[in-house]
Amino acid sequence: MLAVYTHLNSLKINKPTAIADGGAAQSTYTPMDDVIIHIVLNIGIVIAETFEQAT
């Protein structure tokens, strides 16, 4: 396994700009935030060289 990312040590993800503010996003949600907004939500990312390592 190469890396595991969660909301505690996540990658830098820029917030999208909402349509109302001149952007193209319907929501300003970013993945792996510390707020759960719906039930099917990414809570982490595993980086590995093989599927077996990731699991």
Side-chain angles (χ1 to χ4, degrees), residues 8-52:
L8 298 175
N9 65 338
S10 64
L11 301 166
K12 181 174 177 354
I13 301 173
N14 296 326
K15 276 200 171 289
T17 304
I19 293 172
D21 296 327
Q26 293 184 8
S27 170
T28 57
Y29 159 76
T30 53
M32 297 191 338
D33 198 357
D34 60 348
V35 177
I36 304 291
I37 61 170
H38 57 82
I39 196 166
V40 184
L41 185 67
N42 296 327
I43 59 169
I45 299 171
V46 175
I47 310 298
E49 292 180 357
T50 67
F51 178 76
E52 289 76 18

